[in-house]
Each structure stands twice: as structure tokens, then as C-alpha cells.
């Protein structure tokens, strides 16, 4: 439950960034798409836990963690995509 709440908070942060940057600029960055994809896959993996589906947890959990790790790697997010113009 806590992980789902954390990922929903992360999605809220992404929506806030979308409103600041505008839809065209926000979706021009692959990093933003990876952030959204990571949060969604981790939520699906967490829901699989409650449904007792080990395959769903393993598949979506691993994919979500890999996307989170990749997008959090140092230097992976260009500063130009993080600040509005």
C-alpha cells in the first residue's frame, strides 16, 4: 500500500511538471515518459501483490525498478528538460 501511495505521489509530481512545461515540451523528453512508465509499472506490480499474482509482480516490478534506476542515474536527465522556459 505504501509503495502505491508513493508512486501516486510521483505521478502527481509528473502531472504538475506537465502543467508547468506544457504538453508539447513535456512529451518531447524521453525521460518524462520513462518516469511515467516506471510509476505505472510499479503500481501494476503492487496491485499484482494484492491479487497474489507472482508473475505480474516479477514482470512489472522488475521493469518498473529498471526504469526508475535508469531515470535516476547521475547525469541521465538533461537540465534543459527540467526547467520551464
Amino acid at each position: 500500500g505504501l509503495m502505491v501511495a508513493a508512486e501516486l505521489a510521483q505521478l502527481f509530481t509528473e502531472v504538475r511538471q506537465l502543467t508547468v512545461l506544457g504538453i508539447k515540451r513535456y512529451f518531447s523528453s524521453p525521460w518524462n515518459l520513462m518516469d511515467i512508465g516506471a510509476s505505472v509499472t510499479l503500481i501494476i506490480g503492487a496491485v499484482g501483490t494484492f491479487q497474489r499474482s507472482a508473475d505480474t509482480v516479477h514482470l512489472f516490478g522488475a521493469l518498473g525498478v529498471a526504469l526508475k534506476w535508469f531515470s535516476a542515474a547521475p547525469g541521465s536527465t538533461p537540465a534543459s528538460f527540467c526547467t520551464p522556459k
Side-chain angles (χ1 to χ4, degrees):
L2 184 60
M3 188 175 93
V4 173
E7 291 306 321
L8 287 173
Q10 179 64 32
L11 283 175
F12 175 75
T13 303
E14 291 298 323
V15 168
R16 191 175 57 192
Q17 185 180 6
L18 171 68
T19 59
V20 170
L21 294 177
I23 194 163
K24 186 176 180 182
R25 182 156 168 82
Y26 181 82
F27 284 113
S28 68
S29 169
W31 305 110
N32 291 331
L33 296 174
M34 283 191 343
D35 288 340
I36 291 173
S39 292
V40 169
T41 55
L42 286 172
I43 290 170
I44 293 170
V47 169
T49 301
F50 299 117
Q51 294 178 341
R52 305 208 190 294
S53 173
D55 292 337
T56 301
V57 173
H58 292 148
L59 175 66
F60 287 98
L63 180 60
V65 169
L67 287 170
K68 282 282 185 184
W69 179 86
F70 187 70
S71 67
S76 64
T77 306
S80 62
F81 288 125
C82 297
T83 57
K85 287 189 176 181

